[in-house]
Each structure stands twice: as C-alpha cells, then as structure tokens.
Amino acid sequence: MSNIILDICEYQEGITFLEKPLLEENKFITRITKKSGAVDLMSTRYKDHKNHIGYYKYVNAMSTYTAQYEVEQIKKCGLLDGTKILWVDLETVFLRENPEICEKVFVVFLDNFVNVGIYCDLDFYRSNVSKWISKYNVPLWVACYGRNNGEVDERKIESVTDIKNVAMWQFTSKYKGYNLDASITIDKMEYVPYNTEKVKEVQRFLNDRYKYNLSVDGVMGKKTFTALCRCAGFIE
C-alpha cells in the first residue's frame, strides 16, 4: 500500500538521522551527485541500507551535449545498476522556459539508464512536462505541498492523482518538523507506469478489507487515493 518516502542529501547531515528512527522507519532516496559531479555523501553512506530505494539528480544541462556530460559523471559513480530508480529534476529556469530542449535533455538520461523517472512540481508539469511526457512510459514524482504543515493536504489529492503515471506525491518539505522533504507513494508502492489493472487490485482490496465501496474502474482518483491515505494513517 502507500508508504512515506524521504529524500535527503549531504547538506542535511546536521539532522542526526541515526539518533532518530526516520531512516529505519521509512524508505528513502538520496541525491546521487552534486553540481560539481562529486558523489553526494548520503549516497555513499547509505547505498546499501535496507530502506534506500533510489537516487535523484538535479539536472543543470542546457543541451544534449551537457546532459551527456552529466550522465557520464553519474556513470563514474558506479551506483546505478538498474535495480534502483534515478529521478531526474529538470526544473532549471532555462529548461522551464524551453520545453523542447527540456524533453531532449530528459531523453539523454532515458537512453543511458534502465530505470528513470521525472521529478517536477505541479506547475512545471502543467506548463512543460505535460506537453511531451505522453511519448514516454516513465513514472512521475510530483511536488504539490498545499498547507505544507508536514501532513497530507487532502485538498490537493485530486490535483496530483489525476496525472497519468504519477508514482509519488511530494506533499511536504517539513516532515515531522524537520527541514525534510517527504512523499507518499501512489499505485501500490511500485515504481511502474500507471497501470489500471494494479489500481483495480488495490480497489478490490480496499472494498473487501475495509468496505469502502469504491468503483473498480482502474482509476487512481481522489476517492481511491483518499482511502489509501486513511488506511495508512496519513489522514483521518
């Protein structure tokens, strides 16, 4: 079912994770490389942790040439073997304003790695990514905070779940009172493209176990996602 996913990088090292059970209680993603190309300390420290499930990369490239350079930096790390997803964040000012170049830069990453997804905020998705993403069968990780009080803002559920292929919703940057991003997974906690048969399985489960009386239509809409959040204790 749905789970909390944290994303961390080395500038958050001041948060003493080992003194708090955050990384033992939750799955998490780490930044793979810094702008300089150096490996993020958190990725080397936690790459073999049982709850470490993937990496994210803030892309600085402004062309396919510079995108390939960033790809080669990541390959030198030796951390990606296809078993963990790489989420690429394409939200630089330049790429935001140039959807066609943004798409070409993304394709460079897609052509070089087995398991790739896109991180974007809701506005960037609507103004840029939505114009070209239908060509590619990849998962999306969408940021949409709402109240940003550390909890899921139920008012934003429909905005996020209406997006095809959405796999994670980053709902806060203040999880448990820390300067810490947290996301909730969608579609059975599997980083796979939006799959109507999987959603139907979830709907049947919720109906049988919790008597929600959801329509078994394979659509991860507001009612289904709200039911998942309630079962997981994310909202009342």
Side-chain angles (χ1 to χ4, degrees):
M1 308 302 282
S2 296
N3 288 273
I4 291 290
I5 308 293
L6 307 178
D7 55 277
I8 60 174
C9 62
E10 66 180 50
Y11 72 75
Q12 295 168 301
E13 192 176 8
I15 299 174
T16 52
F17 291 107
L18 298 182
E19 294 179 13
K20 303 174 181 70
L22 291 175
L23 299 190
E24 297 302 324
E25 294 177 352
N26 301 287
K27 296 185 184 299
F28 61 94
I29 295 166
T30 55
R31 179 176 64 172
I32 192 163
T33 57
K34 298 178 282 189
K35 186 175 182 179
S36 65
V39 182
D40 189 282
L41 175 63
M42 293 298 189
S43 283
T44 53
R45 178 181 296 172
Y46 294 116
K47 62 184 177 65
D48 296 320
H49 193 286
K50 62 183 176 65
N51 285 337
H52 183 257
I53 60 170
Y55 302 94
Y56 70 90
K57 168 63 179 175
Y58 184 78
V59 177
N60 294 285
M62 299 175 66
S63 67
T64 55
Y65 177 80
T66 50
Q68 188 62 48
Y69 175 73
E70 292 190 34
V71 163
E72 296 307 318
Q73 288 180 317
I74 293 173
K75 288 181 177 179
K76 288 178 182 178
C77 299
L79 294 174
L80 285 175
D81 59 4
T83 61
K84 295 182 178 180
I85 192 165
L86 174 66
W87 296 98
V88 293
D89 181 348
L90 304 160
E91 296 179 305
T92 62
V93 173
F94 178 78
L95 293 180
R96 276 181 176 272
E97 296 174 350
N98 294 275
E100 291 184 4
I101 298 176
C102 185
E103 177 185 1
K104 291 177 181 178
V105 166
F106 170 68
V107 170
V108 173
F109 285 85
L110 189 63
D111 287 345
N112 279 274
F113 299 110
V114 174
N115 197 358
V116 181
I118 295 177
Y119 170 89
C120 57
D121 66 36
L122 190 59
D123 290 339
F124 181 53
Y125 171 79
R126 289 170 172 167
S127 65
N128 187 313
V129 176
S130 64
K131 297 179 179 180
W132 48 266
I133 192 60
S134 61
K135 305 173 191 175
Y136 310 101
N137 202 17
V138 297
L140 300 175
W141 174 15
V142 178
C144 180
Y145 293 165
R147 296 186 183 95
N148 197 19
N149 60 2
E151 299 177 357
V152 172
D153 187 341
E154 192 170 349
R155 301 172 305 168
K156 297 296 182 179
I157 290 175
E158 195 166 358
S159 298
V160 177
T161 56
D162 279 352
I163 299 173
K164 186 177 180 181
N165 281 23
V166 65
M168 290 204 301
W169 167 21
Q170 189 180 82
F171 65 90
T172 187
S173 62
K174 299 178 181 178
Y175 187 60
K176 293 194 179 291
Y178 299 109
N179 179 25
L180 186 62
D181 296 336
S183 302
I184 186 172
T185 58
I186 300 174
D187 197 3
K188 293 184 67 180
M189 182 42 212
E190 293 186 30
Y191 293 115
V192 295
Y194 188 92
N195 187 311
T196 56
E197 292 306 312
K198 287 184 178 293
V199 177
K200 286 180 181 179
E201 289 178 22
V202 173
Q203 290 167 331
R204 293 189 189 99
F205 174 82
L206 292 170
N207 288 341
D208 293 344
R209 178 69 65 85
Y210 299 104
K211 311 302 180 187
Y212 270 104
N213 198 31
L214 300 168
S215 297
V216 182
D217 54 10
V219 177
M220 184 59 79
K222 181 176 181 178
K223 289 183 178 179
T224 299
F225 190 62
T226 301
L228 279 172
C229 290
R230 289 201 171 111
C231 290
F234 301 140
I235 59 176
E236 297 181 356

